[in-house]
Amino acid sequence: MLRTALRNVLAHKARLLMTALAVLLGVAFVSGTLVFGDSVAGSFHNAAAKNLKGVALSVRADGASGPGGSEGKPITVLDTELARKIRALPGVASVHPTVNGAATLAAKDGHPVNADHNWQNLAMNYLPGKDGKDSHFPLTAGRGPAAEGELVLNTRTAEKTGYRIGDTVRFAIDGPALTKKLVGIVSTDDPRVTAGGTLTLFDTPTAQKLFLHAGQFDEITVAAKAGTDERALTDRVRTLLPEKGARVVSGADLAAEQSAGSSGDSGFFAKLLMVFAGIALFVGVFLIANTFTMLIAQRSREIALMRAVGASRRQVVRSVLAEAALLGLGASAAGFALGLGIAAAMRPLLNATGAELPDGPLVITSATVASSLAVGVLVTVLAAWLPSRKAAKIAPIEALSSVDQAPPVRALVIHNVLGALLTGAGVLVMLHVSTFRIASQDHVQIAMLGSGLTVSGMIVLAPLLSRPLITLAGKVTTRWFGVSGKLAKENALRNPRRTAATASALMIGLTLITALTVAGHSTQQAMNKQIAQGLTADYTVSNSFHRGGLEPGAADKVARVPGVAAAVPATSTGFGTTSGRVVITGTDPKAFGKTAELDFRAGSLRDIGPGKIVVSDEFAEKAGLKLGATLDVGTNTGKTEKKKLTVVGVYAQTRAAQDALGTLADVFPYSGTKKLDKVLVKAEPGKDAGLERKIRAALGDSPLLQVQSQEQLIKSQGGAMTTALNMMYGLLSMAVVIAVLGVVNTLAMSVFERTREIGMLRAIGLDRAGIKQMVRLESIVISLFGAVLGIGTGIFLAWAGGSLMASSMKAYEMALPWGRLGIFLALALAIGVLAAIWPARRAARLNMLRSIQSA
């Protein structure tokens, strides 16, 4: 039986090629993802280890502080005296005290670098040794900073910003723009920098002035002399530290922290790839199962003869499974090789999008090889198991008398009942999900369960649904294409299970794509509405630094810019109340109406004054407030202070004003930063050209400054959704490719089975063009059937699951992107045409007489 399995594999190379491609693509995705993840993690680890080479331990302050210990953070306990004591310990080779901060650079063309990710913009002190150089940052050009007006950049940062030695570099810490002269360029293996960050170095006194206090440090790294017991050295260092405020981290742990922190995003991407690899393999199961079902049907006489001469059912099953295992092993091996190419291509591909992953060799572990091969073989064998059992159950006399027997009625009834139960259960779960008004992890898991049940049920019900849908499509093909169209319909209906299995592969891909598209499109529209809701300002001015803000006088400066009709300051602060936390926005009520529109239920902006606020209808309902009610709020001054505010109006909830709106004088003194959150700007009619540049100049043109129009505001906050959807489309395209292979495979097998029938059609007058048209139309009908099921199911899942988004996004409403849905239908039509090219040509080239004589 093993020899028989091997002979069957070798005898049907062309037929099994596309099945092998499905396994190959799925395994390539899996192996490529595993190798990529291991390689990136290894690269980050190697970079971190190289960057911290020779570091035995690090002493860290528990909390980093700003200048003067502002923002409620403790003053660091690491100082010059502690560094001197550590340096005097036996076994210490060198001590490197470090000041850590963040500095956002403006490139030479004026555009800020990593403005939305300030934490990536590292700033440190350059600490020269006796030779005048800092061994942690080898110089590649120029010299180290030696005065307050100088700085140094690393090589990649200099290339990214366009600065050269001698240029004046503009940057910002947390407020106004600063300038210093670039005097040197260094190299670094710090993975935080090689992963896309920037590095700016100052002399130690300047760094301390910018980020800490004179003589203070955030971290002290210690290098040990050769032969020193690092554990004992760590204990000796620990004795010098105060009980609170500092901790010791080993060099190995420090490298692990750096590599883990830097590789976090790539790790997430690797996990995401694994999800889509699973989807690709799941879709491939249908192609594999379909192929083995057709192959077994074609070999039913051969199997019957084997049974007749003594082969048992178990031997037949083993023979088919052995054939599947051989196919899976060969395809998996090829898939693993392709996966190495995918892993190698991912790094430069992601670097081209700005990921800046460190270079390094591919890491191939025995576990990755074994996992990839095991996945491919296991999926192939499992997909072939049901067809093998079906083949073994056929009695020899039945198989010898007929090649293609209709499935028994009882089996069809059980099949349809199971499909109805699964679909019904999935629909009920999703209808239950649609009633959720608060999203939680449990609700998301319930939605995933409901989606899985619904899709599984549709797959099982597909044979039943194929008859009415394909019959309807057949009326169109018959009317437009005559005999060829009618034959295509009959061929598609001849074996509903096979047609359904072929269409199901395409259905799964389009279900996922449609659900993501509808949900993403609806979310995008809701975000756009929410971002600009109630806002009529032409520009919003803010600070990109996460703890930053605008100086109190910023609105006045902007108001004096020619072309500005109104500049309205705004800052929001949370207050405690008996009904929960309330966010009150402080502003200039008289000018606020020029940059925002509030839909008042009662009162107006004119009623706002000292101690008087207007509240949103949602907060008013939550807190039980009415006009004239007094709201006691707790302030953030650290005292048990209460402030009484009178409600003088109620407006419809809007993002422009959040929970409540009051005067700037009532809110600003209690803000944590003592700065404005933003300034809303209204331009004079016809004078907004070049206004953004003028506003930036009026406020010092800090790299942290953001001056955004409504379109820019929407794009910056909603653009991530478009990027995510495009990435999802690219990943799901793998499932669609496998579905195309499934259609090609089914048509090729169908042509083989109908060789005699095609010969008879040619004999009675159907020409080669008619044969090609018949096969093409059959392919189109199957593809459109899968597309209709997929798009319909995807829309339902997006509608039912939309309540989870609506719970956190009030403006969410399901919006169908008709243009994209039309593209998906056109894509299905194109898939049908392309998938039929080879089978149609093969059918048209069949010799008429030989076809009629075939058994």
Side-chain angles (χ1 to χ4, degrees):
M1 297 304 291
L2 184 60
R3 287 197 300 270
T4 301
L6 183 60
R7 178 184 61 80
N8 285 330
V9 171
L10 296 176
H12 305 104
K13 292 189 266 313
R15 301 183 211 172
L16 293 175
L17 177 61
M18 282 169 285
T19 304
L21 280 174
V23 180
L24 183 150
L25 290 173
V27 171
F29 227 148
V30 172
S31 63
T33 300
L34 292 174
V35 172
F36 170 74
D38 290 341
S39 300
V40 170
S43 298
F44 276 116
H45 180 76
N46 292 339
K50 188 176 180 181
N51 181 57
L52 296 169
K53 185 178 181 181
V55 174
L57 58 95
S58 169
V59 180
R60 288 180 168 182
D62 284 340
S65 64
S70 61
E71 304 174 5
K73 292 188 175 181
I75 300 295
T76 179
V77 297
L78 308 185
D79 54 21
T80 305
E81 179 61 20
L82 177 62
R84 186 191 62 77
K85 291 178 180 178
I86 295 175
R87 188 179 290 109
L89 289 174
V92 172
S94 64
V95 169
H96 192 282
T98 305
V99 178
N100 294 313
T104 300
L105 298 165
K108 203 168 184 178
D109 60 6
H111 290 91
V113 180
N114 295 341
D116 295 329
H117 304 283
N118 303 113
W119 53 270
Q120 286 186 303
N121 298 324
L122 304 182
M124 298 181 184
N125 62 313
Y126 185 88
L127 191 66
K130 294 179 180 180
D131 59 354
K133 298 179 181 179
D134 189 334
S135 60
H136 287 70
F137 305 107
L139 282 164
T140 59
R143 59 176 177 81
E148 186 175 355
E150 299 176 346
L151 58 74
V152 165
L153 302 177
N154 77 299
T155 306
R156 288 194 180 187
T157 302
E159 292 173 354
K160 189 183 296 185
T161 56
Y163 288 118
R164 295 183 179 181
I165 293 177
D167 288 342
T168 298
V169 178
R170 198 159 53 84
F171 66 97
I173 302 301
D174 61 356
L178 304 172
T179 58
K180 294 185 187 296
K181 183 179 179 181
L182 179 63
V183 297
I185 295 177
V186 300
S187 64
T188 181
D189 293 308
D190 192 326
R192 295 171 296 178
V193 179
T194 58
T198 62
L199 176 64
T200 308
L201 299 174
F202 307 96
D203 65 283
T204 299
T206 301
Q208 290 172 334
K209 180 180 178 181
L210 290 172
F211 305 112
L212 295 171
H213 292 282
Q216 293 185 339
F217 303 97
D218 292 299
E219 182 178 14
I220 301 174
T221 56
V222 180
K225 294 179 179 178
T228 300
D229 185 341
E230 293 186 1
R231 185 172 297 178
L233 179 59
T234 300
D235 293 336
R236 288 196 292 272
V237 170
R238 191 174 282 118
T239 60
L240 299 177
L241 303 181
E243 293 184 5
K244 295 181 180 180
R247 57 193 173 93
V248 179
V249 182
S250 69
D253 289 342
L254 198 61
E257 283 182 18
Q258 282 194 8
S259 61
S262 303
S263 61
D265 290 341
S266 59
F268 169 76
F269 185 70
K271 291 177 182 177
L272 186 65
L273 285 175
M274 286 300 293
V275 171
F276 287 93
I279 292 172
L281 284 171
F282 183 66
V283 173
V285 165
F286 290 90
L287 173 54
I288 299 165
N290 216 14
T291 300
F292 275 93
T293 299
M294 290 185 284
L295 286 175
I296 288 168
Q298 292 171 13
R299 299 209 309 264
S300 57
R301 286 179 177 270
E302 175 188 327
I303 293 172
L305 286 172
M306 291 169 58
R307 292 289 312 284
V309 297
S312 66
R313 289 183 177 182
R314 183 173 295 179
Q315 286 178 311
V316 171
V317 172
R318 287 177 179 174
S319 174
V320 176
L321 294 183
E323 183 178 343
L326 290 172
L327 172 69
L329 184 61
S332 299
F336 182 80
L338 178 61
L340 296 181
I342 292 175
M346 278 185 190
R347 195 190 310 257
L349 183 64
L350 290 176
N351 284 343
T353 64
E356 299 194 46
L357 301 173
D359 295 330
L362 290 180
V363 177
I364 305 171
T365 65
S366 57
T368 298
V369 177
S371 299
S372 302
L373 296 180
V375 165
V377 173
L378 188 62
V379 166
T380 310
V381 170
L382 286 177
W385 182 67
L386 283 178
S388 70
R389 285 180 57 83
K390 180 183 176 183
K393 288 181 179 179
I394 300 176
I397 191 65
E398 293 180 22
L400 288 170
S401 62
S402 175
V403 172
D404 191 11
Q405 295 228 4
V409 176
R410 182 172 176 272
L412 289 175
V413 171
I414 294 174
H415 192 272
N416 293 335
V417 169
L418 176 62
L421 290 174
L422 285 172
T423 306
V427 169
L428 288 175
V429 171
M430 293 308 295
L431 290 176
H432 178 57
V433 168
S434 69
T435 65
F436 292 151
R437 288 295 174 263
I438 299 177
S440 68
Q441 185 174 353
D442 291 340
H443 292 164
V444 172
Q445 291 175 349
I446 293 173
M448 292 176 64
L449 172 64
S451 300
L453 287 173
T454 303
V455 173
S456 300
M458 293 300 294
I459 292 170
V460 178
L461 274 183
L464 180 64
L465 297 174
S466 66
R467 186 164 294 279
L469 291 177
I470 291 178
T471 300
L472 182 64
K475 291 182 179 181
V476 177
T477 58
T478 300
R479 183 166 183 175
W480 286 2
F481 301 99
V483 175
S484 296
K486 185 173 183 179
L487 287 172
K489 180 197 74 173
E490 295 299 328
N491 290 334
L493 290 174
R494 179 176 300 183
N495 194 327
R497 285 192 176 183
R498 181 188 304 172
T499 298
T502 305
S504 292
L506 185 60
M507 182 199 80
I508 295 168
L510 284 177
T511 295
L512 295 171
I513 290 176
T514 301
L516 285 171
T517 300
V518 173
H521 178 73
S522 303
T523 303
Q524 186 86 64
Q525 286 202 342
M527 287 177 64
N528 293 349
K529 288 180 183 178
Q530 194 164 298
I531 290 167
Q533 187 181 31
L535 195 65
T536 59
D538 293 310
Y539 294 97
T540 300
V541 185
S542 60
N543 190 325
S544 65
F545 188 58
H546 68 286
R547 295 193 305 271
L550 302 174
E551 295 301 322
D556 294 333
K557 292 180 180 179
V558 175
R560 291 193 290 270
V561 172
V564 172
V568 184
T571 193
S572 299
T573 300
F575 295 88
T577 72
T578 55
S579 302
R581 187 174 176 81
V582 57
V583 178
I584 304 178
T585 300
T587 186
D588 178 359
K590 294 180 181 179
F592 189 73
K594 299 177 182 179
T595 57
E597 289 181 353
L598 298 184
D599 181 13
F600 276 92
R601 305 288 191 255
S604 69
L605 287 171
R606 293 189 297 273
D607 299 322
I608 300 175
K612 298 177 181 180
I613 62 171
V614 292
V615 298
S616 70
D617 51 0
E618 291 186 8
F619 180 73
E621 182 180 353
K622 174 185 174 183
L625 298 174
K626 296 181 180 179
L627 286 181
T630 300
L631 183 66
D632 292 331
V633 297
T635 65
N636 295 326
T637 59
K639 305 175 183 177
T640 57
E641 181 182 346
K642 290 286 185 180
K643 186 176 180 66
K644 291 185 179 294
L645 299 172
T646 303
V647 177
V648 295
V650 178
Y651 59 87
Q653 176 75 30
T654 176
R655 186 170 179 175
Q658 300 194 56
D659 295 331
L661 191 69
T663 65
L664 196 63
D666 279 336
V667 176
F668 188 80
Y670 307 105
S671 84
T673 61
K674 299 297 185 294
K675 292 182 180 180
L676 299 175
D677 290 341
K678 57 190 173 185
V679 173
L680 302 176
V681 180
K682 190 69 177 178
E684 293 179 357
K687 294 187 177 181
D688 57 346
L691 194 57
E692 176 186 352
R693 197 67 244 166
K694 295 176 183 177
I695 293 172
R696 294 189 66 91
L699 295 178
D701 201 11
S702 167
L704 296 172
L705 195 66
Q706 289 185 318
V707 182
Q708 298 172 304
S709 65
Q710 281 205 25
E711 293 78 12
Q712 291 170 329
L713 195 65
I714 290 171
K715 185 177 180 180
S716 66
Q717 297 188 28
M721 178 65 67
T722 302
T723 302
L725 279 177
N726 290 337
M727 185 174 69
M728 298 290 184
Y729 291 154
L731 295 172
L732 283 173
S733 63
M734 183 69 72
V736 176
V737 168
I738 295 176
V740 173
L741 294 176
V743 178
V744 175
N745 215 14
T746 297
L747 291 174
M749 294 289 191
S750 181
V751 168
F752 178 82
E753 286 183 356
R754 299 202 303 269
T755 299
R756 176 180 287 186
E757 177 186 319
I758 292 171
M760 292 295 295
L761 290 172
R762 290 289 312 284
I764 61 176
L766 191 64
D767 58 10
R768 290 186 174 182
I771 294 293
K772 286 183 178 181
Q773 190 176 71
M774 177 187 72
V775 176
R776 278 197 298 266
L777 289 174
E778 180 182 355
S779 175
I780 290 171
V781 166
I782 293 174
S783 297
L784 288 178
F785 169 56
V788 169
L789 285 186
I791 293 173
T793 305
I795 291 174
F796 169 73
L797 296 180
W799 168 79
S803 63
L804 299 178
M805 291 300 301
S807 63
S808 58
M809 196 172 291
K810 303 299 181 185
Y812 182 89
E813 291 180 358
M814 191 179 86
L816 294 178
W818 294 108
R820 293 184 189 179
L821 296 181
I823 291 174
F824 296 159
L825 278 175
L827 176 64
L829 183 66
I831 287 172
V833 173
L834 293 174
I837 292 176
W838 178 64
R841 285 171 59 86
R842 185 174 182 273
R845 289 181 176 182
L846 289 175
N847 183 280
M848 187 190 310
L849 295 178
R850 290 180 182 174
S851 299
I852 294 173
Q853 294 173 354
S854 64

